[in-house]
């Protein structure tokens, strides 16, 4: 009995427990931990080590302490938007920075009263980063060192973001044009459907009228 109990303990996935205030699910074979809108004031301590997606948005978190996510070596997407973040410790993202593909901190950065230093990070130059550069209080001495690690076009990679923007590039207008094209295609599709419906309706009525006329002409005439 004791041996069976010991084997059972070895089988239990200790790193896969879910925090009481969160919901853990599987998404395409990867673990997603959703802690959105749970009135959290700090980052949960018992987030599963195999978490790939972590949503902590719409809470009351005020600080991201050092090593807050260090044990989450598989983490790729982290959402910390719509919080009340006032302080981000220097080593807040130690252990996960290399693997993160998406980090949503926009509202937090714009709400901070302190000057921000965003230099020497592997930034993806896009509309969201451009908006932060326009709206946030950045340290003037570090702005020139915000470099495009990746970008929609290869020619921007490795260049300072400020230099790219000074050359007339507007990442937000690219997104707007894409949205406009999508709306145009949708409207054109609906318009085409209406035209096809009208044509079919007219043809159907014409056929019914012709059949009715043929029927009337086939009736014996009366004196």
């Amino acid at each position: 009995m004791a041996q069976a109990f010991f084997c059972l303990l070895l089988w239990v996935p200790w790193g896969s427990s879910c925090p009481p205030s969160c919901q853990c699910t599987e998404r395409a074979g990867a673990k997603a931990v959703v802690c959105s809108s749970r009135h959290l004031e700090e980052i949960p301590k018992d987030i599963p080590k195999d978490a790939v997606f972590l949503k902590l948005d719409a809470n009351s978190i005020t600080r991201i302490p050092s090593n807050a996510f260090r044990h989450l070596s598989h983490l790729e997407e982290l959402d910390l938007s719509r919080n009340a973040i006032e302080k981000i410790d220097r080593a807040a993202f130690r252990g996960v920075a290399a693997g993160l593909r998406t980090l949503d901190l926009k509202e937090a950065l714009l709400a901070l009263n302190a000057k921000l230093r965003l230099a020497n990070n592997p930034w993806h130059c896009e509309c969201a980063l451009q908006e932060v550069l326009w709206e946030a209080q950045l340290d003037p001495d570090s702005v020139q060192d915000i470099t495009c690690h990746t970008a929609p076009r290869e020619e921007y990679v490795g260049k300072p973001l400020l230099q790219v923007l000074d050359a007339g590039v507007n990442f937000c207008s690219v997104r707007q044009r894409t949205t406009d094209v999508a709306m145009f295609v949708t409207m054109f599709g609906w318009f085409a459907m209406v035209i096809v419906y009208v044509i079919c309706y007219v043809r159907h009525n014409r056929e019914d009228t012709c059949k009715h006329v043929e029927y009337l002409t086939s009736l014996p005439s009366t004196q």
Side-chain angles (χ1 to χ4, degrees):
M1 182 68 178
Q3 183 177 3
F5 180 72
F6 178 73
C7 292
L8 180 62
L9 288 178
L10 290 178
W11 179 83
V12 173
W14 293 102
S16 298
S17 60
C18 193
S21 55
C22 305
Q23 181 180 3
C24 299
T25 59
E26 293 287 335
R27 188 201 307 178
K31 176 156 290 184
V33 182
V34 180
C35 314
S36 306
S37 304
R38 298 302 176 95
H39 307 290
L40 298 175
E41 296 182 356
E42 60 181 18
I43 298 170
K45 305 293 185 184
D46 48 354
I47 298 172
K49 295 181 179 179
D50 53 350
V52 177
F53 308 99
L54 176 58
K55 289 182 65 64
L56 291 164
D57 56 303
N59 282 294
S60 302
I61 298 173
T62 58
R63 178 192 172 201
I64 307 177
S66 296
N67 303 314
F69 311 101
R70 189 171 186 175
H71 66 293
L72 306 178
S73 58
H74 300 284
L75 195 62
E76 295 182 4
E77 295 187 14
L78 174 60
D79 188 351
L80 284 161
S81 61
R82 292 186 294 159
N83 273 285
I85 297 174
E86 299 175 352
K87 183 178 181 182
I88 302 175
D89 289 1
R90 180 181 296 272
F93 302 104
R94 178 181 295 166
V96 296
L100 276 179
R101 293 188 292 107
T102 302
L103 173 61
D104 195 335
L105 266 172
K106 183 178 175 182
E107 288 87 351
L109 293 178
L110 297 182
L112 288 172
N113 292 322
K115 290 183 179 180
L116 303 175
R117 290 189 176 185
L118 303 178
N120 302 317
N121 284 289
W123 293 109
H124 175 64
C125 290
E126 58 176 353
C127 181
L129 182 59
Q130 179 178 320
E131 290 177 344
V132 168
L133 192 65
W134 283 343
E135 300 176 29
Q137 301 182 45
L138 299 179
D139 186 341
D141 296 332
S142 66
V143 173
Q144 291 290 346
D145 295 324
I146 301 177
T147 305
C148 297
H149 181 70
T150 57
R153 297 179 61 175
E154 189 67 27
E155 60 190 274
Y156 305 144
V157 175
K159 292 184 178 180
L161 176 59
L162 201 60
Q163 176 184 333
V164 174
L165 297 178
D166 286 343
V169 177
N170 189 337
F171 295 108
C172 295
S173 66
V174 172
R175 184 176 66 179
Q176 183 62 42
R177 285 199 299 269
T178 303
T179 303
D180 291 343
V181 170
M183 291 182 62
F184 175 78
V185 171
T186 302
M187 292 177 64
F188 178 80
W190 279 105
F191 184 68
M193 290 176 61
V194 171
I195 292 177
V196 171
Y197 173 79
V198 171
I199 293 174
C200 293
Y201 180 78
V202 171
R203 286 183 177 178
H204 179 72
N205 285 350
R206 181 180 298 174
E207 291 175 358
D208 288 346
T209 302
C210 292
K211 290 180 180 179
H212 186 65
V213 172
E214 290 176 357
Y215 171 75
L216 291 178
T217 55
S218 66
L219 294 176
S221 60
T222 58
Q223 297 297 331

